[in-house]
Tab-separated table of all heavy atoms in Angstrom:
chain	number	residue	atom	x	y	z
W	14	MET	N	81.713	101.299	120.441
W	14	MET	CA	81.651	101.518	118.996
W	14	MET	C	81.649	103.021	118.714
W	14	MET	O	81.070	103.801	119.455
W	14	MET	CB	80.386	100.897	118.401
W	14	MET	CG	80.307	99.384	118.513
W	14	MET	SD	81.522	98.534	117.551
W	14	MET	CE	80.618	98.205	116.069
W	15	ILE	N	82.283	103.375	117.644
W	15	ILE	CA	82.261	104.749	117.168
W	15	ILE	C	81.655	104.764	115.763
W	15	ILE	O	81.637	103.736	115.093
W	15	ILE	CB	83.664	105.384	117.141
W	15	ILE	CG1	84.603	104.579	116.257
W	15	ILE	CG2	84.225	105.504	118.550
W	15	ILE	CD1	85.901	105.275	115.964
W	16	THR	N	81.134	105.905	115.375
W	16	THR	CA	80.574	106.049	114.032
W	16	THR	C	81.433	107.027	113.259
W	16	THR	O	81.811	108.073	113.778
W	16	THR	CB	79.124	106.565	114.098
W	16	THR	OG1	78.357	105.665	114.901
W	16	THR	CG2	78.511	106.653	112.720
W	17	LEU	N	81.772	106.669	112.040
W	17	LEU	CA	82.527	107.581	111.187
W	17	LEU	C	81.987	107.498	109.773
W	17	LEU	O	81.168	106.626	109.459
W	17	LEU	CB	84.018	107.285	111.231
W	17	LEU	CG	84.498	105.922	110.795
W	17	LEU	CD1	85.894	106.033	110.239
W	17	LEU	CD2	84.499	104.986	111.975
W	18	LYS	N	82.404	108.413	108.952
W	18	LYS	CA	81.928	108.461	107.578
W	18	LYS	C	83.130	108.352	106.644
W	18	LYS	O	84.087	109.116	106.759
W	18	LYS	CB	81.190	109.776	107.327
W	18	LYS	CG	80.408	109.799	106.033
W	18	LYS	CD	79.755	111.142	105.780
W	18	LYS	CE	78.527	111.313	106.629
W	18	LYS	NZ	77.784	112.570	106.265
W	19	ILE	N	83.057	107.378	105.737
W	19	ILE	CA	84.099	107.208	104.727
W	19	ILE	C	83.421	107.199	103.369
W	19	ILE	O	82.502	106.414	103.134
W	19	ILE	CB	84.890	105.897	104.941
W	19	ILE	CG1	85.562	105.877	106.314
W	19	ILE	CG2	85.930	105.707	103.828
W	19	ILE	CD1	86.286	104.584	106.659
W	20	ASN	N	83.867	108.062	102.482
W	20	ASN	CA	83.280	108.171	101.136
W	20	ASN	C	81.765	108.392	101.213
W	20	ASN	O	81.008	107.835	100.424
W	20	ASN	CB	83.589	106.926	100.306
W	20	ASN	CG	85.053	106.796	99.983
W	20	ASN	OD1	85.822	107.742	100.120
W	20	ASN	ND2	85.462	105.622	99.569
W	21	GLY	N	81.322	109.152	102.210
W	21	GLY	CA	79.910	109.468	102.349
W	21	GLY	C	79.081	108.365	102.992
W	21	GLY	O	77.871	108.507	103.143
W	22	LYS	N	79.718	107.264	103.372
W	22	LYS	CA	79.008	106.121	103.950
W	22	LYS	C	79.280	106.073	105.454
W	22	LYS	O	80.436	106.046	105.874
W	22	LYS	CB	79.516	104.845	103.271
W	22	LYS	CG	78.880	103.582	103.753
W	22	LYS	CD	79.470	102.386	102.994
W	22	LYS	CE	79.014	101.080	103.581
W	22	LYS	NZ	79.671	99.945	102.914
W	23	LYS	N	78.201	106.066	106.266
W	23	LYS	CA	78.358	105.955	107.717
W	23	LYS	C	78.669	104.517	108.086
W	23	LYS	O	77.980	103.595	107.647
W	23	LYS	CB	77.075	106.380	108.435
W	23	LYS	CG	76.950	107.851	108.648
W	23	LYS	CD	75.755	108.150	109.533
W	23	LYS	CE	75.615	109.636	109.761
W	23	LYS	NZ	74.451	109.959	110.587
W	24	ILE	N	79.720	104.328	108.884
W	24	ILE	CA	80.066	102.987	109.331
W	24	ILE	C	80.363	103.023	110.827
W	24	ILE	O	80.726	104.052	111.377
W	24	ILE	CB	81.274	102.397	108.568
W	24	ILE	CG1	82.531	103.227	108.803
W	24	ILE	CG2	80.979	102.299	107.091
W	24	ILE	CD1	83.777	102.576	108.243
W	25	LYS	N	80.186	101.895	111.460
W	25	LYS	CA	80.507	101.760	112.874
W	25	LYS	C	81.798	100.965	112.981
W	25	LYS	O	82.032	100.016	112.238
W	25	LYS	CB	79.387	101.053	113.622
W	25	LYS	CG	78.121	101.888	113.714
W	25	LYS	CD	77.150	101.272	114.695
W	25	LYS	CE	75.874	102.066	114.799
W	25	LYS	NZ	76.032	103.353	115.449
W	26	ALA	N	82.635	101.377	113.925
W	26	ALA	CA	83.915	100.703	114.109
W	26	ALA	C	84.202	100.555	115.600
W	26	ALA	O	83.698	101.334	116.422
W	26	ALA	CB	85.028	101.499	113.439
W	27	LYS	N	84.989	99.559	115.905
W	27	LYS	CA	85.383	99.325	117.292
W	27	LYS	C	86.313	100.449	117.734
W	27	LYS	O	87.229	100.837	117.003
W	27	LYS	CB	86.106	97.979	117.386
W	27	LYS	CG	86.259	97.446	118.778
W	27	LYS	CD	86.722	96.014	118.721
W	27	LYS	CE	88.139	95.930	119.236
W	27	LYS	NZ	88.684	94.581	119.179
W	28	GLU	N	86.060	100.985	118.925
W	28	GLU	CA	86.911	102.048	119.443
W	28	GLU	C	88.353	101.542	119.529
W	28	GLU	O	88.596	100.425	119.973
W	28	GLU	CB	86.414	102.483	120.827
W	28	GLU	CG	86.958	103.810	121.249
W	28	GLU	CD	86.203	104.381	122.447
W	28	GLU	OE1	84.996	104.139	122.564
W	28	GLU	OE2	86.853	105.051	123.246
W	29	GLY	N	89.276	102.338	119.078
W	29	GLY	CA	90.678	101.958	119.102
W	29	GLY	C	91.167	101.381	117.785
W	29	GLY	O	92.361	101.196	117.600
W	30	SER	N	90.227	101.067	116.878
W	30	SER	CA	90.657	100.550	115.579
W	30	SER	C	91.139	101.712	114.711
W	30	SER	O	90.778	102.861	114.930
W	30	SER	CB	89.519	99.792	114.889
W	30	SER	OG	88.452	100.653	114.582
W	31	THR	N	91.965	101.392	113.730
W	31	THR	CA	92.443	102.431	112.822
W	31	THR	C	91.407	102.671	111.731
W	31	THR	O	90.502	101.849	111.519
W	31	THR	CB	93.774	102.026	112.164
W	31	THR	OG1	93.533	100.893	111.303
W	31	THR	CG2	94.836	101.684	113.192
W	32	ILE	N	91.525	103.782	111.043
W	32	ILE	CA	90.625	104.061	109.919
W	32	ILE	C	90.780	102.979	108.868
W	32	ILE	O	89.803	102.507	108.291
W	32	ILE	CB	90.917	105.456	109.331
W	32	ILE	CG1	90.571	106.527	110.357
W	32	ILE	CG2	90.146	105.678	108.032
W	32	ILE	CD1	91.012	107.924	109.966
W	33	LEU	N	91.998	102.551	108.648
W	33	LEU	CA	92.256	101.506	107.662
W	33	LEU	C	91.553	100.203	108.058
W	33	LEU	O	90.914	99.551	107.232
W	33	LEU	CB	93.767	101.292	107.518
W	33	LEU	CG	94.242	100.370	106.420
W	33	LEU	CD1	93.735	100.823	105.057
W	33	LEU	CD2	95.758	100.282	106.425
W	34	GLU	N	91.636	99.834	109.328
W	34	GLU	CA	90.964	98.614	109.805
W	34	GLU	C	89.456	98.741	109.661
W	34	GLU	O	88.778	97.799	109.234
W	34	GLU	CB	91.334	98.351	111.264
W	34	GLU	CG	92.757	97.917	111.471
W	34	GLU	CD	93.211	97.965	112.932
W	34	GLU	OE1	92.553	98.644	113.762
W	34	GLU	OE2	94.231	97.325	113.234
W	35	ALA	N	88.904	99.898	110.021
W	35	ALA	CA	87.459	100.117	109.921
W	35	ALA	C	87.010	100.038	108.468
W	35	ALA	O	85.992	99.419	108.154
W	35	ALA	CB	87.092	101.465	110.525
W	36	ALA	N	87.762	100.654	107.580
W	36	ALA	CA	87.406	100.630	106.163
W	36	ALA	C	87.430	99.201	105.630
W	36	ALA	O	86.491	98.755	104.965
W	36	ALA	CB	88.375	101.511	105.369
W	37	ARG	N	88.475	98.478	105.929
W	37	ARG	CA	88.585	97.096	105.441
W	37	ARG	C	87.474	96.215	105.998
W	37	ARG	O	86.967	95.342	105.302
W	37	ARG	CB	89.956	96.532	105.805
W	37	ARG	CG	91.050	97.105	104.936
W	37	ARG	CD	92.398	96.560	105.318
W	37	ARG	NE	93.409	96.954	104.328
W	37	ARG	CZ	94.711	96.839	104.514
W	37	ARG	NH1	95.176	96.342	105.641
W	37	ARG	NH2	95.548	97.203	103.571
W	38	ALA	N	87.099	96.442	107.243
W	38	ALA	CA	86.036	95.642	107.864
W	38	ALA	C	84.695	95.858	107.177
W	38	ALA	O	83.803	95.024	107.283
W	38	ALA	CB	85.930	95.984	109.348
W	39	HIS	N	84.566	96.986	106.458
W	39	HIS	CA	83.321	97.284	105.765
W	39	HIS	C	83.480	97.182	104.248
W	39	HIS	O	82.692	97.739	103.494
W	39	HIS	CB	82.813	98.671	106.175
W	39	HIS	CG	82.293	98.695	107.582
W	39	HIS	ND1	83.120	98.800	108.672
W	39	HIS	CD2	81.034	98.563	108.059
W	39	HIS	CE1	82.385	98.762	109.768
W	39	HIS	NE2	81.128	98.618	109.432
W	40	GLY	N	84.500	96.502	103.800
W	40	GLY	CA	84.680	96.243	102.373
W	40	GLY	C	85.147	97.429	101.561
W	40	GLY	O	85.041	97.417	100.343
W	41	ILE	N	85.660	98.456	102.242
W	41	ILE	CA	86.181	99.623	101.528
W	41	ILE	C	87.678	99.392	101.328
W	41	ILE	O	88.435	99.294	102.291
W	41	ILE	CB	85.943	100.915	102.339
W	41	ILE	CG1	84.443	101.127	102.554
W	41	ILE	CG2	86.563	102.116	101.640
W	41	ILE	CD1	84.112	102.187	103.590
W	42	GLU	N	88.071	99.284	100.080
W	42	GLU	CA	89.472	98.993	99.788
W	42	GLU	C	90.298	100.271	99.728
W	42	GLU	O	89.913	101.243	99.089
W	42	GLU	CB	89.586	98.237	98.472
W	42	GLU	CG	89.067	96.818	98.576
W	42	GLU	CD	89.519	95.964	97.414
W	42	GLU	OE1	90.616	96.192	96.885
W	42	GLU	OE2	88.746	95.071	97.059
W	43	ILE	N	91.406	100.261	100.435
W	43	ILE	CA	92.355	101.373	100.426
W	43	ILE	C	93.710	100.776	100.084
W	43	ILE	O	94.182	99.872	100.782
W	43	ILE	CB	92.408	102.079	101.799
W	43	ILE	CG1	91.045	102.701	102.121
W	43	ILE	CG2	93.503	103.155	101.805
W	43	ILE	CD1	90.954	103.317	103.504
W	44	PRO	N	94.332	101.226	98.990
W	44	PRO	CA	95.627	100.670	98.624
W	44	PRO	C	96.690	100.987	99.676
W	44	PRO	O	96.684	102.080	100.263
W	44	PRO	CB	95.953	101.341	97.288
W	44	PRO	CG	95.095	102.547	97.228
W	44	PRO	CD	93.891	102.286	98.084
W	45	THR	N	97.571	100.025	99.927
W	45	THR	CA	98.634	100.206	100.920
W	45	THR	C	99.943	99.613	100.407
W	45	THR	O	99.933	98.724	99.561
W	45	THR	CB	98.285	99.520	102.253
W	45	THR	OG1	98.114	98.130	102.026
W	45	THR	CG2	97.030	100.100	102.869
W	46	LEU	N	101.021	100.094	100.931
W	46	LEU	CA	102.339	99.501	100.653
W	46	LEU	C	102.996	99.051	101.950
W	46	LEU	O	103.452	97.932	102.071
W	46	LEU	CB	103.256	100.501	99.943
W	46	LEU	CG	103.016	100.725	98.460
W	46	LEU	CD1	103.971	101.796	97.927
W	46	LEU	CD2	103.195	99.442	97.683
W	47	CYS	N	103.038	99.935	102.954
W	47	CYS	CA	103.791	99.612	104.168
W	47	CYS	C	102.924	98.993	105.261
W	47	CYS	O	103.445	98.557	106.283
W	47	CYS	CB	104.516	100.843	104.697
W	47	CYS	SG	103.429	102.126	105.335
W	48	SER	N	101.607	98.932	105.060
W	48	SER	CA	100.735	98.328	106.072
W	48	SER	C	100.829	96.808	105.984
W	48	SER	O	100.649	96.227	104.918
W	48	SER	CB	99.297	98.777	105.843
W	48	SER	OG	98.437	98.125	106.746
W	49	ASN	N	101.125	96.181	107.127
W	49	ASN	CA	101.263	94.722	107.181
W	49	ASN	C	100.873	94.279	108.577
W	49	ASN	O	101.333	94.860	109.557
W	49	ASN	CB	102.715	94.330	106.864
W	49	ASN	CG	102.897	92.835	106.787
W	49	ASN	OD1	102.525	92.101	107.692
W	49	ASN	ND2	103.486	92.385	105.704
W	50	GLU	N	100.015	93.269	108.675
W	50	GLU	CA	99.547	92.799	109.984
W	50	GLU	C	100.691	92.342	110.889
W	50	GLU	O	100.557	92.340	112.101
W	50	GLU	CB	98.549	91.659	109.807
W	50	GLU	CG	97.228	92.118	109.212
W	50	GLU	CD	96.253	90.973	109.016
W	50	GLU	OE1	96.529	89.864	109.514
W	50	GLU	OE2	95.218	91.188	108.374
W	51	ALA	N	101.801	91.948	110.300
W	51	ALA	CA	102.928	91.452	111.087
W	51	ALA	C	103.780	92.596	111.655
W	51	ALA	O	104.660	92.362	112.468
W	51	ALA	CB	103.801	90.537	110.230
W	52	LEU	N	103.495	93.812	111.235
W	52	LEU	CA	104.311	94.951	111.657
W	52	LEU	C	103.482	95.940	112.456
W	52	LEU	O	102.264	95.997	112.324
W	52	LEU	CB	104.875	95.674	110.418
W	52	LEU	CG	105.684	94.832	109.437
W	52	LEU	CD1	106.006	95.658	108.191
W	52	LEU	CD2	106.963	94.343	110.101
W	53	LYS	N	104.137	96.748	113.268
W	53	LYS	CA	103.456	97.844	113.951
W	53	LYS	C	103.139	98.921	112.915
W	53	LYS	O	103.872	99.061	111.933
W	53	LYS	CB	104.370	98.445	115.027
W	53	LYS	CG	104.556	97.562	116.230
W	53	LYS	CD	105.379	98.277	117.281
W	53	LYS	CE	105.475	97.415	118.529
W	53	LYS	NZ	106.245	98.052	119.590
W	54	PRO	N	102.030	99.682	113.130
W	54	PRO	CA	101.734	100.773	112.181
W	54	PRO	C	102.945	101.694	112.020
W	54	PRO	O	103.549	102.109	113.002
W	54	PRO	CB	100.561	101.497	112.850
W	54	PRO	CG	99.929	100.471	113.714
W	54	PRO	CD	101.065	99.591	114.204
W	55	TYR	N	103.281	101.993	110.781
W	55	TYR	CA	104.493	102.739	110.510
W	55	TYR	C	104.208	104.042	109.759
W	55	TYR	O	104.756	105.078	110.081
W	55	TYR	CB	105.452	101.855	109.716
W	55	TYR	CG	106.828	102.433	109.548
W	55	TYR	CD1	107.597	102.787	110.641
W	55	TYR	CD2	107.344	102.625	108.284
W	55	TYR	CE1	108.867	103.321	110.481
W	55	TYR	CE2	108.616	103.149	108.112
W	55	TYR	CZ	109.365	103.493	109.211
W	55	TYR	OH	110.611	104.028	109.052
W	56	GLY	N	103.349	103.996	108.753
W	56	GLY	CA	102.967	105.207	108.026
W	56	GLY	C	104.083	105.829	107.227
W	56	GLY	O	104.188	107.050	107.157
W	57	ALA	N	104.865	105.007	106.583
W	57	ALA	CA	106.027	105.533	105.876
W	57	ALA	C	105.763	105.868	104.411
W	57	ALA	O	106.317	106.830	103.896
W	57	ALA	CB	107.183	104.546	105.956
W	58	CYS	N	104.926	105.096	103.760
W	58	CYS	CA	104.833	105.273	102.306
W	58	CYS	C	103.830	106.358	101.901
W	58	CYS	O	103.895	106.887	100.813
W	58	CYS	CB	104.462	103.949	101.635
W	58	CYS	SG	102.771	103.414	101.908
W	59	ARG	N	102.855	106.646	102.755
W	59	ARG	CA	101.824	107.652	102.503
W	59	ARG	C	100.882	107.283	101.360
W	59	ARG	O	100.163	108.135	100.859
W	59	ARG	CB	102.446	109.034	102.225
W	59	ARG	CG	103.309	109.538	103.351
W	59	ARG	CD	102.484	109.850	104.557
W	59	ARG	NE	103.334	110.367	105.629
W	59	ARG	CZ	103.102	110.166	106.899
W	59	ARG	NH1	102.073	109.457	107.269
W	59	ARG	NH2	103.884	110.661	107.815
W	60	LEU	N	100.877	106.042	100.964
W	60	LEU	CA	99.969	105.631	99.896
W	60	LEU	C	98.519	105.624	100.359
W	60	LEU	O	97.612	106.024	99.644
W	60	LEU	CB	100.358	104.249	99.352
W	60	LEU	CG	99.474	103.712	98.230
W	60	LEU	CD1	99.575	104.622	97.007
W	60	LEU	CD2	99.856	102.299	97.863
W	61	CYS	N	98.272	105.177	101.590
W	61	CYS	CA	96.883	105.028	102.055
W	61	CYS	C	96.242	106.365	102.423
W	61	CYS	O	95.035	106.500	102.406
W	61	CYS	CB	96.833	104.076	103.238
W	61	CYS	SG	97.663	104.687	104.731
W	62	ILE	N	97.022	107.343	102.787
W	62	ILE	CA	96.531	108.683	103.165
W	62	ILE	C	95.476	108.606	104.278
W	62	ILE	O	94.479	109.301	104.245
W	62	ILE	CB	95.977	109.469	101.949
W	62	ILE	CG1	96.868	109.354	100.754
W	62	ILE	CG2	95.762	110.935	102.307
W	62	ILE	CD1	98.248	109.998	100.925
W	63	VAL	N	95.630	107.707	105.224
W	63	VAL	CA	94.728	107.690	106.371
W	63	VAL	C	95.528	107.888	107.631
W	63	VAL	O	96.050	107.251	108.260
W	63	VAL	CB	93.843	106.422	106.452
W	63	VAL	CG1	92.875	106.428	105.308
W	63	VAL	CG2	94.657	105.163	106.461
P	124	LIG	S1	100.138	102.053	103.808
P	124	LIG	FE1	101.949	103.175	103.997
P	124	LIG	S2	101.366	104.949	105.025
P	124	LIG	FE2	99.567	103.790	104.891
C-alpha cells in the first residue's frame, strides 16, 4: 500500500494503481473522457489531468 494526498485528504492505495483508480476507490470523482476499463490507459483527452 502507498499513501497519497488528493484534495488535502490522505488516502491509501494499492501499489501499481493509477491516481485515477485510487481516487475512484475513495469516492473522489474525476471527470474523464478517454478513460475506459476496456481500453489500455491512453491519456489523450487531458480532461482528468492526472
Ligand atoms: S481521461 Fe483522458 S486523459 Fe484522462
Side-chain angles (χ1 to χ4, degrees):
M14 296 293 265
I15 58 169
T16 303
L17 60 151
K18 192 183 283 187
I19 300 176
N20 293 345
K22 180 180 172 185
K23 276 188 180 179
I24 63 172
K25 292 192 181 290
K27 195 169 111 182
E28 197 166 327
S30 65
T31 66
I32 294 171
L33 187 57
E34 290 167 342
R37 286 179 171 167
H39 289 81
I41 299 167
E42 289 196 32
I43 297 175
T45 60
L46 283 177
C47 68
S48 176
N49 185 308
E50 290 179 10
L52 304 173
K53 288 184 176 181
Y55 189 57
C58 71
R59 301 292 181 212
L60 180 63
C61 66
I62 316 295
V63 293

